[in-house]
């Protein structure tokens, strides 16, 4: 479910470290089981296939998040910075580190290649303003969980 | 210093010039940033080591950016899946079957698979191998997936 939500939402969603940890543990468990199984056992193939599928979903989910982090990096970092105390984070600690490194890397590059050669008043550029924000007006798929009467579909809706 | 002269008509000229400079800056940064995005895509397509032909087209700073990027990415991937981490550049497509038929496109040499056996990958030889081992080699152009 988290995978589908992430794929179809235009912006980065909440980070779900518990789910990821759980899935990774499952995979490790299955791997350990398979190592102990007899060779040529039919179940081995089926389990391996299952593992591949799980690994694919997990990779796809994490990749999707990374792509969004890289695409919207100034906004993602800004959002994280201005997050209130009780609010859940959209980035895992590792993703946060990755985002910061990405930002620093890109800023250093632009500064060294272009900005430092420019006239003094043009040497700073706000990446927050230059890099496009996620398009929150893009259409999303919704699945109805409970029957509701008379819901007005407003122009702005977030994912389910 | 032009503003010190106090003539109001010069102000428009200054503003116009500033707008031109800003536009040039935007164009330049857009070009450089686009190149970075393409270089980033190269890491996902070719892996950590870029073919020489491509490296030749990159500036020293771009190579530095690339090295930093792949280091960041590696740190992140290592942190994700248990002990060794999860290589996110694998499993790009949903798996259809465990083993696949591949043909070797160039001489690669020996290749070891999970149960310890080694396979000699010579040009034009065909093998039936586990999918996950072949993914990287297929992307590098060493193996070709045969779809019957």
């Amino acid at each position: 479910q988290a995978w589908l939500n992430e794929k179809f939402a235009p912006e980065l969603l909440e980070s779900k470290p518990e789910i990821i940890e759980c899935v990774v543990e499952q995979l490790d468990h299955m791997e350990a089981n398979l190592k102990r199984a007899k060779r040529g056992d039919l179940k081995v193939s089926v389990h391996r296939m299952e593992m591949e599928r799980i690994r694919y979903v997990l990779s796809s989910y994490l990749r999707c998040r990374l792509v969004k982090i890289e695409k919207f990096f100034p906004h993602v970092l800004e959002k994280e910075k201005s997050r209130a105390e009780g609010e859940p984070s959209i980035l895992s600690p590792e993703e946060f580190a990755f985002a910061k490194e990405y930002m620093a890397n890109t800023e250093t590059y632009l500064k060294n290649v272009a900005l430092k050669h420019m006239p003094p008043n043009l040497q700073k550029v706000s990446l927050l303003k230059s890099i496009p924000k996620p398009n929150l007006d893009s259409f999303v798929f919704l699945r109805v969980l409970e029957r509701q009467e008379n819901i007005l579909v407003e122009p702005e809706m977030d994912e389910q | 210093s032009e503003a010190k002269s106090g003539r109001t008509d010069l102000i428009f000229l200054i503003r116009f010039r500033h707008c031109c400079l800003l536009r040039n800056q935007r164009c330049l940064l857009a070009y450089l940033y686009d190149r970075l995005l393409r270089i980033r895509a190269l890491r996902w397509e070719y892996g950590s080591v870029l073919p020489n032909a491509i490296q030749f087209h990159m500036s020293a700073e771009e190579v530095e950016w690339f090295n930093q990027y792949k280091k960041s990415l590696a740190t992140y991937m290592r942190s994700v899946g248990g002990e060794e981490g999860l290589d996110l550049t694998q499993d790009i497509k949903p798996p259809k079957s465990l083993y696949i038929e591949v043909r070797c496109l160039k001489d690669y040499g020996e290749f070891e698979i999970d149960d310890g056996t080694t396979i000699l990958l010579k040009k034009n030889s065909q093998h039936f191998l586990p999918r996950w081992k072949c993914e990287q080699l297929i992307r590098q152009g060493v193996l070709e997936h045969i779809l019957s």
Side-chain angles (χ1 to χ4, degrees), chain B residues 20-88:
Chain B
C20 288
L21 288 177
L22 278 179
R23 183 181 177 276
N24 288 349
Q25 184 200 47
R26 258 180 48 209
C27 291
L28 185 55
L29 292 180
Y31 166 72
L32 292 172
Y33 187 64
D34 194 76
R35 278 178 71 95
L36 282 189
L37 292 182
R38 286 167 203 245
I39 294 174
R40 178 245 178 227
L42 290 176
R43 166 63 186 90
W44 287 84
E45 189 161 325
Y46 285 99
S48 319
V49 180
L50 293 179
N52 275 327
I54 295 186
Q55 274 205 337
F56 185 61
H57 289 297
M58 285 166 57
S59 72
E61 290 89 357
E62 285 173 337
V63 173
E64 177 61 31
W65 187 90
F66 179 77
N67 289 337
Q68 286 288 12
Y69 176 72
K70 70 177 182 183
K71 212 161 65 163
S72 262
L73 188 61
T75 309
Y76 175 72
M77 294 201 293
R78 237 194 328 265
S79 75
V80 160
E83 307 137 17
E84 293 164 8
L86 185 63
D87 186 357
L88 292 176

Side-chain angles (χ1 to χ4, degrees), chain A residues 108-136:
Chain A
T108 311
Y109 169 78
L110 289 176
K111 195 169 77 173
N112 288 335
V113 174
L115 291 175
K116 73 174 182 202
H117 300 296
M118 292 193 184
N121 60 335
L122 287 178
Q123 280 192 4
K124 289 241 143 58
V125 73
S126 161
L127 286 177
L128 193 60
K129 290 206 212 115
S130 324
I131 302 223
K133 279 181 12 166
N135 179 16
L136 291 174

Side-chain angles (χ1 to χ4, degrees), chain A residues 34 36 44 49 85 90 97 103-104 108 111 130 137 140 145:
Chain A
L34 284 180
R36 288 184 288 136
V44 170
M49 199 57 204
E85 260 306 307
I90 47 168
M103 174 134 182
T108 311
K111 195 169 77 173
S130 324
D137 290 329
V140 290
L145 289 177

Side-chain angles (χ1 to χ4, degrees), chain A residues 24 39 45 49 52 56 58 62-63 70 73 94-95 101 105-106 109 113-115 118 121-122 131, chain B residues 22 25 33 36 40 62 65 68-69 72 76 79-80 82 88 90-94 98 115 131-132:
Chain A
V24 167
R39 285 205 65 184
S45 303
M49 199 57 204
E52 297 266 302
Y56 166 73
L58 181 61
L62 292 173
R63 265 199 299 271
E70 290 176 7
F73 66 95
E94 296 84 14
E95 288 173 336
E101 287 169 16
N105 196 15
T106 307
Y109 169 78
V113 174
L115 291 175
M118 292 193 184
N121 60 335
L122 287 178
I131 302 223
Chain B
L22 278 179
Q25 184 200 47
Y33 187 64
L36 282 189
R40 178 245 178 227
E62 285 173 337
W65 187 90
Q68 286 288 12
Y69 176 72
S72 262
Y76 175 72
S79 75
V80 160
L88 292 176
Q90 303 269 48
D91 308 307
I92 302 276
K93 294 221 175 73
L98 274 184
D115 53 8
R131 199 187 52 85
W132 65 92

Side-chain angles (χ1 to χ4, degrees), chain A:
Chain A
Q1 200 54 43
W3 177 53
L4 286 177
N5 276 346
E6 195 75 58
K7 261 200 142 162
F8 289 122
E11 55 164 358
L12 189 66
L13 303 175
E14 235 177 83
S15 138
K16 308 249 186 240
E18 338 76 44
I19 300 185
I20 298 182
E21 234 183 87
C22 190
V23 173
V24 167
E25 248 180 68
Q26 289 279 330
L27 280 177
D28 280 341
H29 212 64
M30 285 176 92
E31 182 81 45
N33 279 343
L34 284 180
K35 280 204 166 74
R36 288 184 288 136
K38 291 194 286 260
R39 285 205 65 184
D41 197 353
L42 253 181
K43 282 191 288 192
V44 170
S45 303
V46 176
H47 279 298
R48 270 219 186 277
M49 199 57 204
E50 187 65 25
M51 275 180 61
E52 297 266 302
R53 288 204 190 99
I54 296 177
R55 203 178 0 236
Y56 166 73
V57 173
L58 181 61
S59 277
S60 182
Y61 171 70
L62 292 173
R63 265 199 299 271
C64 183
R65 287 180 64 87
L66 270 191
V67 164
K68 284 191 207 171
I69 291 175
E70 290 176 7
K71 196 162 173 195
F72 303 123
F73 66 95
H75 306 285
V76 165
L77 286 170
E78 184 64 32
K79 192 165 171 185
E80 187 62 17
K81 210 163 66 170
S82 55
R83 174 171 69 99
E85 260 306 307
E87 254 174 69
S89 172
I90 47 168
L91 294 172
S92 74
E94 296 84 14
E95 288 173 336
F96 187 43
F98 177 79
K100 279 195 296 195
E101 287 169 16
Y102 188 79
M103 174 134 182
N105 196 15
T106 307
E107 274 181 336
T108 311
Y109 169 78
L110 289 176
K111 195 169 77 173
N112 288 335
V113 174
L115 291 175
K116 73 174 182 202
H117 300 296
M118 292 193 184
N121 60 335
L122 287 178
Q123 280 192 4
K124 289 241 143 58
V125 73
S126 161
L127 286 177
L128 193 60
K129 290 206 212 115
S130 324
I131 302 223
K133 279 181 12 166
N135 179 16
L136 291 174
D137 290 329
S138 62
F139 290 90
V140 290
F141 290 99
L142 297 176
R143 177 185 284 147
V144 181
L145 289 177
E146 287 174 13
R147 189 188 160 87
Q148 292 270 352
E149 308 278 308
N150 302 323
I151 291 278
L152 177 66
V153 178
E154 293 155 18
E156 291 124 13
M157 289 215 87
D158 221 288
E159 34 61 62
Q160 161 206 12

